Amino acid sequence: LPDGGVMVQGDPDLLSEALGNLIDNALRYGASGGVVRIVVDALGPALRVEDEGPGIAVDQRASMMERFVRGARPDQGPGTGLGLSIAQEIAVLHGGSLELDTTAAGGLSASMMLRPADPSSR
């Protein structure tokens, strides 16, 4: 991080909920015994959660952020299909977005892009 870190303006409880949903998904759907990375990108700014699971096919990424949509994996376990949609809504409420991509290892990278705080508001 640059000196002094990066500041975003927002509701800490909502941002915590969004990050928690992304971490929960990475733990639930990532490879068993695999690594989950949480990356703070000051240039975005973005919070990125990466796992070593099977990822999400490009043609399914947009629909996976809709409410109640779940992947087709038979071993995915319980869930409601709300985690990514809630994280996306929270990112949008904060002037940002949620972007899904594939990691170099083939897992999922979920980046919550956020708007930096106005320096004059510090």
Side-chain angles (χ1 to χ4, degrees), residues 5 28-29 62 67 72 78-79:
R28 184 182 306 223
Y29 304 116
R67 289 180 169 270

Side-chain angles (χ1 to χ4, degrees), residues 56-67:
I56 297 174
V58 174
D59 63 341
Q60 295 179 352
R61 289 181 188 157
S63 66
M64 292 301 291
M65 290 191 282
E66 295 175 13
R67 289 180 169 270

Side-chain angles (χ1 to χ4, degrees), residues 5-93:
V6 62
M7 297 285 291
V8 295
Q9 190 168 354
D11 182 300
D13 292 331
L14 288 176
L15 291 171
S16 178
E17 179 180 359
L19 182 60
N21 285 350
L22 297 180
I23 293 169
D24 182 59
N25 278 353
L27 292 171
R28 184 182 306 223
Y29 304 116
S32 178
V35 174
V36 172
R37 288 173 204 76
I38 302 168
V39 180
V40 178
D41 179 357
L43 299 177
L47 294 171
R48 186 170 61 248
V49 177
E50 300 175 343
D51 66 49
E52 295 178 342
I56 297 174
V58 174
D59 63 341
Q60 295 179 352
R61 289 181 188 157
S63 66
M64 292 301 291
M65 290 191 282
E66 295 175 13
R67 289 180 169 270
F68 306 111
V69 173
R70 300 184 69 213
R73 288 183 41 201
D75 63 337
Q76 67 187 3
T80 60
L82 290 172
L84 289 176
S85 66
I86 290 171
Q88 179 185 37
E89 289 176 17
I90 291 171
V92 169
L93 281 172

